[in-house]
Amino acid sequence: MTTTTSTTTTSTTPTTVPDLYPTRGTSEVLIPRQDPVVWGAPDAPGPIDTAGLQSFERDGFLAIDELISEDEVAVYRQELERLIADPAIRADERSIVEPKSNEIRSVFEVHRISEVFANLVRDERVVGRARQILGSDVYVHQSRINVKPGFGASGFYWHSDFETWHAEDGLPNMRTVSVSIALTENHDTNGGLMIMPGSHKTFLGCAGATPKDNYKKSLQMQDAGTPSDEALTKLASEYGIRLFTGKAGSATWFDCNAMHGSGDNITPFPRSNVFIVFNSVENAAVEPFAAPVRRPEFIGARDFTPVS
């Protein structure tokens, strides 16, 4: 395990890339998406068939019943348990703890901490789908394991990942895709992922400036970059809400601009997953568009080496 810590890097060079998605201003804005959803050719070879790509284009997500097998799930769950039980991991700044229970909530940059999860990132079932959707080689913008134990683990409020990655990490375009792979069963009661289908085609620019080192608070409880109740009501009324359930080993791919969130888990049944964000090498991060400093590299990578 690497124990070297990262620090927030001061932004000294102005961003010269056009800002297609203004956010964190004086008022909230809703504007049409300016980028493709599927960047790859419809007939490009890969694990996703034509119907799957069309579904992703329309809805902004693609659910897969079994991305990895039961035996593989057991390996990844064992590795997850090893990591969260390791005192050195807990002391590392890449670990985020629940504010109330003081239990580990997430461990970031897990593909660098663990060779087991590094192998998952390189698995063609995983990275091949990312290349197919994004139409290029890809690198890992972010990876983490999420641990949502029973009896009160808090959820993640509604948000667009791209809004944060654009504002605070400097991703210029919507050419980024995430995959959430379930390591425990996702019931309809234990805080599962919710997405508004089709919301990825509308960008919601949030109101309010970004505080310095906002990530220290937002990874526990989101504040800056939070949509208003009025905007969420408008989007939900137009697009609806889909709740994802499935057995361990199932996966959900979703577009970077899809409005999504998850509720608290007050059941006895834990919900854990591994979350990987792939960004196109042709969409490398520049300086933040709406933040005074970059976030640490364990949250928003600055190593654009393609996954191979």
Side-chain angles (χ1 to χ4, degrees):
M1 171 202 158
T2 302
T3 57
T4 302
T5 58
S6 303
T7 56
T8 305
T9 304
T10 301
S11 174
T12 57
T13 305
T15 296
T16 56
V17 176
D19 185 357
L20 300 178
Y21 301 102
T23 189
R24 312 285 173 97
T26 56
S27 60
E28 202 169 51
V29 296
L30 286 166
I31 60 174
R33 182 189 186 107
Q34 305 296 306
D35 293 305
V37 177
V38 175
W39 291 73
D43 57 351
I48 309 176
D49 60 21
T50 301
L53 286 175
Q54 290 172 343
S55 174
F56 188 88
E57 166 77 32
R58 181 187 68 242
D59 297 329
F61 61 80
L62 181 65
I64 299 169
D65 290 336
E66 185 179 321
L67 181 68
I68 58 176
S69 68
E70 289 185 11
D71 290 342
E72 291 172 303
V73 167
V75 171
Y76 295 122
R77 283 185 62 177
Q78 183 178 36
E79 180 69 353
L80 179 149
E81 294 297 336
R82 183 188 74 80
L83 291 173
I84 64 174
D86 185 339
I89 295 289
R90 183 180 184 83
D92 195 294
E93 68 172 341
R94 290 172 286 192
S95 293
I96 310 301
V97 300
E98 286 278 356
K100 293 182 180 178
S101 68
N102 208 34
E103 296 295 325
I104 287 182
R105 173 190 180 107
S106 301
V107 179
F108 280 80
E109 214 171 40
V110 71
H111 71 296
R112 294 191 182 278
I113 293 174
S114 163
E115 187 60 26
V116 173
F117 286 112
N119 288 334
L120 179 62
V121 166
R122 294 190 290 263
D123 191 310
E124 189 60 25
R125 293 170 296 178
V126 178
V127 70
R129 284 178 165 86
R131 294 191 190 107
Q132 199 175 358
I133 291 169
L134 301 180
S136 69
D137 282 334
V138 298
Y139 70 92
V140 177
H141 177 70
Q142 184 187 106
S143 73
R144 66 179 187 260
I145 47 174
N146 293 323
V147 185
K148 191 179 273 191
F151 301 114
S154 56
F156 292 85
Y157 197 67
W158 290 105
H159 64 286
S160 154
D161 287 330
F162 178 76
E163 191 278 337
T164 297
W165 298 337
H166 183 71
E168 300 185 39
D169 297 339
L171 294 192
N173 296 98
M174 295 180 182
R175 198 170 180 180
T176 315
V177 67
S178 302
V179 60
S180 174
I181 304 172
L183 300 182
T184 53
E185 185 163 357
N186 287 283
H187 302 283
D188 58 3
T189 52
N190 66 340
L193 175 67
M194 296 181 287
I195 295 180
M196 298 183 188
S199 60
H200 62 303
K201 295 188 177 181
T202 299
F203 176 71
L204 197 162
C206 297
T210 309
K212 185 178 179 181
D213 290 345
N214 178 56
Y215 77 95
K216 293 179 179 179
K217 179 180 180 183
S218 67
L219 296 179
Q220 292 182 324
M221 185 174 295
Q222 197 170 350
D223 187 9
T226 302
S228 69
D229 292 352
E230 292 78 13
L232 289 171
T233 300
K234 177 180 173 62
L235 291 174
S237 298
E238 182 174 355
Y239 298 118
I241 296 173
R242 165 82 181 270
L243 170 65
F244 291 87
T245 59
K247 295 183 178 180
S250 62
T252 305
W253 288 86
F254 58 100
D255 180 83
C256 59
N257 190 48
M259 189 61 65
H260 66 288
S262 63
D264 296 349
N265 182 13
I266 61 172
T267 75
F269 309 113
R271 176 181 173 262
S272 299
N273 69 303
V274 54
F275 182 78
I276 307 164
V277 181
F278 294 101
N279 187 39
S280 168
V281 296
E282 298 172 10
N283 189 44
V286 294
E287 295 304 325
F289 285 88
V293 294
R294 302 174 182 176
R295 297 195 298 174
E297 293 192 22
F298 69 85
I299 301 174
R302 294 280 160 171
D303 179 353
F304 311 132
T305 305
V307 176
S308 60

